[in-house]
């Protein structure tokens, strides 16, 4: 037995007990006649003491030569600590060591194993196994475990069955690029890693498993944006013989349970918002509703006034920044520079100060009088002391730009509080979206999403106007889950493939197995998938997912710790019937 207790559990009740501990040396303090060593394991830190009056000379020398991160085992007696540390759970005691065994020596770590480390992100990712020893990462992984267990317990009690689906599947043309895996036994053929278990969970519904879930890895070979991973984890769920309301109620219940059990927060209301309203009021389909600053569309009160920038714009839209009139001209200029960054892409920003005396002062006073600016304030909901920020241009672009500005201002104003939770359902997404490059429609969710009841005929006349029977669950401005009611009959599915540009032959080659299954009695079904990494991060008070993943990859999709991806040798290439054609 390497240890009788862990390093976080000994208290004054254990005084005079003989104990055995094992762990890593956090740090040591050598006073010559006495040596203190902090011993760390997953559970905490316990102070060890070596005293020349009670410790042999040989053991004192051993203790004085202990380096950071040495793995050691000690035996000794629990004694009361003379100088107590109220900030440590074990701060009232220490171990008078009678036996010291060095289990493994260690090189000096490339960064300090402390809560606040001196290691940069790249360095810590290279030595991730050391980074995991740090409390913030360790606690994040433990937190993830807790969330995952709560999910499993809740769904299992609600009658869901956890079923594993394959990782080696068939490549399909929809969605992001697939990661492909060559098959040695089937020369010239490839598996794909699943972007989601979508078709398999639908087949499980055909198979009669009417409540399925799986905590599953998914893979997408796409250009990585900030805080995305090429492999990620979903809480994947599907239900049969249900309608949309059943899905929403079930997963509201799960989310409410997690917030209560994990965060101690009671959430009663899950408001619902139409996709069109989310875009109009917030400029994106996952609005953070912990704060206001809703968009005010100003076309009717800002155009036709000799100001060409607004007159030539498809949309003029603004937000009221609470207390923003206190911003100096220099601070406002910095905001203008911020929206002109390539990442945002605005050409500029017009602003209007709402003075305490009820007057207005704008950057375009030459074109607008006080009555005009008062209408701006009315439309945006601005009050005395606020600042109105206005952008204009192409409707879709300007909404995205103002959305980015809204989130940046909220961050600066401290309105995005991590301990506040505001869930929101966004409903009735467009079924299809037009792609200018390919000049055809693509499924906004995926090709198995059902149109809203009664809108099937609209596909023939105005496909862009058809709404999907789809829904996203948003939490604090992040999409944490999304799903839809699925198509469950061959005729409707064939029609959908037709509008997505598939020939009947292509549809059969790619999805014939699903179409065939629908002919054997497919029940009405639908589901939802949570992004576990994002969900855990938000419940943990963060929006960065990497610390909640044991071994994440960097923004280039590389695992810098094991140096992957990596070349394979010619023998393997030959075995897989592959030949490289690398770009110079």
């Amino acid at each position: 037995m390497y240890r009788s207790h862990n390093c976080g559990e000994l208290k004054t009740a254990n005084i005079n007990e003989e104990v055995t501990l094992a762990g890593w040396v956090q740090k040591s303090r050598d006073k010559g006649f006495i040596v203190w060593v902090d011993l760390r394991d997953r559970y905490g830190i316990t102070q060890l003491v070596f005293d020349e009056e009670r410790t042999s000379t040989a053991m004192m020398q051993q203790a004085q030569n202990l380096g950071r991160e040495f793995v050691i085992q000690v035996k000794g007696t629990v004694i009361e600590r003379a100088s107590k540390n109220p900030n440590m759970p074990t701060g009232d005691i220490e171990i008078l060591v009678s036996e010291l065994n060095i289990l493994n020596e260690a090189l000096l770590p490339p960064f300090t194993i402390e809560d606040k480390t001196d290691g940069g992100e790249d360095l810590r990712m290279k030595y991730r196994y050391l980074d995991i020893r740090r409390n913030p990462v360790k606690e994040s992984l433990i937190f993830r475990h807790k969330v995952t267990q709560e999910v499993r317990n809740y769904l299992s009690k609600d009658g869901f069955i956890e079923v594993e689906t394959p990782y080696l599947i068939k490549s399909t043309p929809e969605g992001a690029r697939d990661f492909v895996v060559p098959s040695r036994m089937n020369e010239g053929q490839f598996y794909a890693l699943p972007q989601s278990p979508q078709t398999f969970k639908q087949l499980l519904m055909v198979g009669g498993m009417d409540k399925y879930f799986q905590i599953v890895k998914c893979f997408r070979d796409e250009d990585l944006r900030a805080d995305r991973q090429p492999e990620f984890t979903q809480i994947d769920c599907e239900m049969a013989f249900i309608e949309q309301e059943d899905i929403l109620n079930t997963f509201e219940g799960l989310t409410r349970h997690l917030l209560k059990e994990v965060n101690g927060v009671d959430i009663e209301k899950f408001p619902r918002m139409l996709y069109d309203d989310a875009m109009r009021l917030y400029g994106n389909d996952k609005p953070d509703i912990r704060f206001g600053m809703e968009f005010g569309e100003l076309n009717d009160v800002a155009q036709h006034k000799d100001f060409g920038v607004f007159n030539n714009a498809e949309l003029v839209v603004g937000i009221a920044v609470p207390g923003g009139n206190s911003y100096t001209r220099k601070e406002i200029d910095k905001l203008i520079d911020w929206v002109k960054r390539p990442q945002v892409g605005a050409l500029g920003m017009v602003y209007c100060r709402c003075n305490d005396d009820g007057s207005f002062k704008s950057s375009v006073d030459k074109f607008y009088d006080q009555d005009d600016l008062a209408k701006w304030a009315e439309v945006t909901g601005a009050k005395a002391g606020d600042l109105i920020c206005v952008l204009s241009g192409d409707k879709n672009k300007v909404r995205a730009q103002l959305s980015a500005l809204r989130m940046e201002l909220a961050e600066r104003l401290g309105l995005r509080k991590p301990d506040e939770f505001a869930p929101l359902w966004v409903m009735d997404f467009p079924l299809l979206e037009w792609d200018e490059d390919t000049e055809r429609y693509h499924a906004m969710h995926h090709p198995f999403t059902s149109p809203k009841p009664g809108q099937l005929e609209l596909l023939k006349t105005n496909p862009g106007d058809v709404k999907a029977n789809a829904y996203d669950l948003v939490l604090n401005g992040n999409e944490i889950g999304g799903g839809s009611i699925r198509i469950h009959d061959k005729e409707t599915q064939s029609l959908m493939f037709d509008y997505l540009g598939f020939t009947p032959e292509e549809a059969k080659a790619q999805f014939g197995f699903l179409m065939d299954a629908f002919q054997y009695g497919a029940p009405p079904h639908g589901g939802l998938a949570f992004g576990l990494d994002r969900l855990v991060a938000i419940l943990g008070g963060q929006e960065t997912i990497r610390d909640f993943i044991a071994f994440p990859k960097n923004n280039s999709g590389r695992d810098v710790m094991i140096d992957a991806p990596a070349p394979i040798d010619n023998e393997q290439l030959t075995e897989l019937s592959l030949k490289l054609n690398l770009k110079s």
Side-chain angles (χ1 to χ4, degrees), residues 520-583:
Y520 289 93
H525 60 281
L528 180 141
F530 286 89
L532 179 64
D533 309 305
R534 185 79 54 199
L535 172 63
V536 171
I538 294 170
L539 294 178
Q542 300 182 40
E543 291 190 13
T544 302
I545 65 175
R546 280 185 184 164
D547 279 353
F548 295 88
I549 299 172
F551 299 103
K553 293 174 173 58
N554 68 13
N555 284 341
S556 300
R558 292 199 66 83
D559 186 325
V560 295
M561 182 183 69
I562 63 172
D563 194 24
I568 60 174
D569 60 35
N570 288 328
E571 185 178 339
Q572 283 180 289
L573 289 171
T574 301
E575 203 172 39
L576 295 168
S577 303
L578 295 177
K579 188 175 183 179
L580 298 181
N581 183 21
L582 300 175
K583 296 176 183 178

Side-chain angles (χ1 to χ4, degrees), residues 380-535:
T380 59
K383 300 179 176 61
D386 291 350
L387 178 75
I388 304 172
C389 297
V390 182
L391 300 180
S392 62
D394 174 81
K395 179 176 66 175
N396 293 332
K397 288 182 180 178
V398 79
R399 281 175 172 166
Q401 292 160 359
L402 191 60
S403 174
L405 177 61
R406 175 180 179 268
M407 296 296 278
E408 174 66 17
L409 286 165
E411 197 70 45
R412 296 184 184 190
L413 293 168
L415 301 177
R416 304 192 70 211
K417 299 176 182 177
D419 57 348
E420 290 183 8
F421 297 95
L424 171 73
W425 285 109
V426 179
M427 323 280 295
D428 293 6
F429 285 78
L431 182 68
L432 306 171
E433 55 184 343
W434 182 257
D435 186 279
E436 294 291 347
D437 295 331
T438 59
E439 295 187 339
R440 67 182 180 93
Y441 282 107
H442 288 261
M444 192 161 189
H445 276 66
H446 52 61
F448 315 107
T449 298
S450 172
K452 293 288 286 187
Q455 296 201 5
L456 190 59
E457 288 300 313
L458 195 58
L459 269 176
K460 300 174 183 177
T461 55
N462 295 294
D465 293 339
V466 178
K467 298 298 184 184
N469 209 345
Y471 34 81
D472 279 358
L473 182 55
V474 176
L475 185 62
N476 295 1
N478 292 271
E479 178 196 334
I480 61 166
S484 66
I485 300 300
R486 322 301 186 191
I487 297 168
H488 68 278
D489 65 279
K490 183 178 179 180
E491 291 73 24
T492 305
Q493 190 64 72
S494 296
L495 185 63
M496 176 62 79
F497 286 144
D498 183 46
Y499 281 104
L500 292 173
F502 288 83
T503 66
E505 294 75 21
E506 287 171 336
K508 182 170 180 58
Q510 295 292 337
F511 301 108
F513 63 93
L514 185 65
M515 307 283 274
D516 290 344
F518 284 174
Q519 298 179 100
Y520 289 93
H525 60 281
L528 180 141
F530 286 89
L532 179 64
D533 309 305
R534 185 79 54 199
L535 172 63

